[in-house]
Amino acid sequence: MQILWQVYSILILHVIKESTACSEFCACKWKNGKQTVECANKNLSEIPDGMDPETQVLEFSGNKLNKLSKELFLKKQLINLQRVYLSRCKIKSVHRDTFKGLTNLVELDLSDNLLENIPSGAFMNCPSLMKLTLNLNPINSLKKFAFNHLSYLNTLELSKCEISEIEEGSFQGLHSLEWLHLDENRLKTIRGRRTLPENVKGVELQKNAWECDCHIQDLSAWLRDFNIPLSVEPVCQGPPRLAGRTIKSIPAAELACLPDISPTSFYLELGEGKNVSLLCHVHAIPEATVSWWFQGQMLQNNTMVAPGVHLIYFVEEGSENKRSELFIYNANADDNGTFICNADNAAGTSQSNFTIKIILKEDPIVIIVSFPLEYFLFAVIGISVLGLLVLIVIAVLIVKCHRKNRRQQKREQTKEVTLQYQQNANKLGENVECLPDPLKVIFLFFSISFQT
């Protein structure tokens, strides 16, 4: 009887404690062996003060928190929380120290909020987290190391978000992850064979926009190596030739991308008899088959070369990155037109057009002018008369020039005699000046007589 009274007393104390330490907006109770506070759908803009520090479970979904501030739970003295439910609280941001002090937190629900990015920094303060729910957030990509600090995380739910890209290494550090939900997103591919965790027991990938081309080969290989059957197999949405088929069922050779070919068009004017090479680059996964076409006919290869012979042949090298070169030797008018480099694989066909215009050689133009015989005779006579007149004019000029030269020589001789006479007279004058007057007269008389 005494034991019953003790148990009864303890229950009464718990009821009194709950009634005094619980907000008027919340319900405080023991639920599933945990001290629980339920404040769901109360239109609250913040977590009420005065809650029991021993609270282990907080149900606060359907309120209007907008953001989770720095040391939110530490300031409320709720450091013993193990499960926190904050779904539908219109949360747009989470401070990196929001969960500071929550070392015992094992479950966190942030679904159906307004988060555009994974609050990776905030998870550093809850290393014991085992279940994280982020469904129905407008998250568009998962960055590398997004969950790197959650080594004990067992379940990660990212369903019905807007994820279109998952970087390789996004799930790095999730050593204990067993269940991964990525269904109903906008994923077209997941690149990298180690992007998805290797130790998961279940993964949900259905209802994404899977594009089954060459970029999905890594995911296809991962699914083939993943031995545990999926609840729903992911199905291709495109391209049309593969739509509706499960990714795992498609052979790798059919997961192809349309060949990328360059140049797409090319124009060349070439002289007749010249040589030319046309180069075509092709990138394709899987490898494309390359062929050359002209006037609707596929060119057959021929590598024998003979001088002066018109010859067309091509060589190629590489596989996924292929180089094909077409050689034309001694081009002629038959080569006028468009040569087509054709690249074909399971995804379809791509083409590159090489248009050639051959410029033909032109023979030299010779102009022949004919004259009547009479015109030719008149021309000869005219030329002869003209030549004779030229000769007469030249002869007259030569005679005149010769006479002029003779007259000039005579004038020069006369000038020389006169000059000499004057010089002799001057010398005689100087000599006479030294003689007596009677002798001067006699000397001058003889000098004049001698010169004459």
Side-chain angles (χ1 to χ4, degrees), residues 314-332:
F314 64 88
V315 295
E316 67 178 44
E317 57 184 18
S319 54
E320 292 183 358
N321 291 300
K322 185 168 289 188
R323 180 179 182 274
S324 183
E325 190 168 8
L326 179 72
F327 295 91
I328 303 174
Y329 283 89
N330 196 17
N332 59 34

Side-chain angles (χ1 to χ4, degrees), residues 37-212:
V37 175
E38 295 181 348
C39 311
N41 304 314
K42 300 296 183 181
N43 204 30
L44 299 176
S45 59
E46 64 177 357
I47 297 174
D49 294 327
M51 291 186 183
D52 188 348
E54 299 299 321
T55 300
Q56 296 170 297
V57 179
L58 175 61
E59 171 58 83
F60 203 77
S61 299
N63 288 289
K64 297 181 179 179
L65 288 178
N66 295 320
K67 65 178 182 179
L68 301 183
S69 57
K70 181 180 180 180
E71 300 178 357
L72 174 61
F73 301 98
L74 185 62
K75 291 176 180 178
K76 304 289 184 180
Q77 297 183 356
L78 299 174
I79 59 174
N80 290 308
L81 287 172
Q82 296 178 10
R83 292 181 171 85
V84 176
Y85 302 100
L86 299 173
S87 177
R88 294 175 285 106
C89 286
K90 300 182 178 179
I91 299 170
K92 294 182 179 179
S93 62
V94 180
H95 194 277
R96 63 181 296 110
D97 291 328
T98 290
F99 305 114
K100 191 172 183 179
L102 300 187
T103 55
N104 296 323
L105 187 66
V106 295
E107 184 176 351
L108 176 62
D109 185 357
L110 292 171
S111 63
D112 204 1
N113 280 293
L114 303 173
L115 297 174
E116 296 181 356
N117 299 291
I118 303 295
S120 305
F123 299 144
M124 294 179 63
N125 294 302
C126 36
S128 300
L129 200 62
M130 298 181 68
K131 183 176 181 179
L132 176 60
T133 305
L134 292 167
N135 301 330
L136 292 165
N137 278 284
I139 300 168
N140 53 41
S141 64
L142 300 183
K143 304 299 182 182
K144 192 174 183 178
F145 306 126
F147 310 98
N148 194 40
H149 307 288
L150 303 177
S151 58
Y152 292 101
L153 193 67
N154 176 269
T155 302
L156 176 58
E157 297 185 8
L158 290 162
S159 302
K160 299 181 180 179
C161 294
E162 299 178 7
I163 301 170
S164 60
E165 180 186 12
I166 299 178
E167 292 184 3
E168 192 169 356
S170 297
F171 303 110
Q172 188 168 327
L174 299 179
H175 306 299
S176 303
L177 190 66
E178 295 183 357
W179 307 99
L180 176 61
H181 299 259
L182 288 168
D183 50 301
E184 296 189 55
N185 279 284
R186 298 180 180 180
L187 292 167
K188 291 185 177 182
T189 187
I190 298 178
R191 298 193 182 188
R193 293 197 178 188
R194 296 186 178 181
T195 300
L196 293 174
E198 297 179 356
N199 299 321
V200 291
K201 295 180 179 179
V203 61
E204 302 293 333
L205 296 171
Q206 67 272 17
K207 295 184 179 181
N208 279 283
W210 300 116
E211 187 71 17
C212 293

Side-chain angles (χ1 to χ4, degrees), residues 28 39 45-46 50 59 71-72 92 101 152 202 206 272-273 282 289 309 359 368-369 414 427 438 449:
C28 302
C39 311
S45 59
E46 64 177 357
E59 171 58 83
E71 300 178 357
L72 174 61
K92 294 182 179 179
Y152 292 101
Q206 67 272 17
E272 184 181 15
V282 178
T289 301
V309 175
I359 301 174
I368 302 175
V369 180
T414 303
K427 291 180 179 179
S449 299

Side-chain angles (χ1 to χ4, degrees), residues 318-358:
S319 54
E320 292 183 358
N321 291 300
K322 185 168 289 188
R323 180 179 182 274
S324 183
E325 190 168 8
L326 179 72
F327 295 91
I328 303 174
Y329 283 89
N330 196 17
N332 59 34
D334 293 336
D335 298 321
N336 267 317
T338 300
F339 291 83
I340 299 173
C341 177
N342 192 85
D344 180 77
N345 67 4
T349 301
S350 296
Q351 292 183 341
S352 178
N353 297 325
F354 297 82
T355 301
I356 295 179
K357 180 180 179 181
I358 304 299

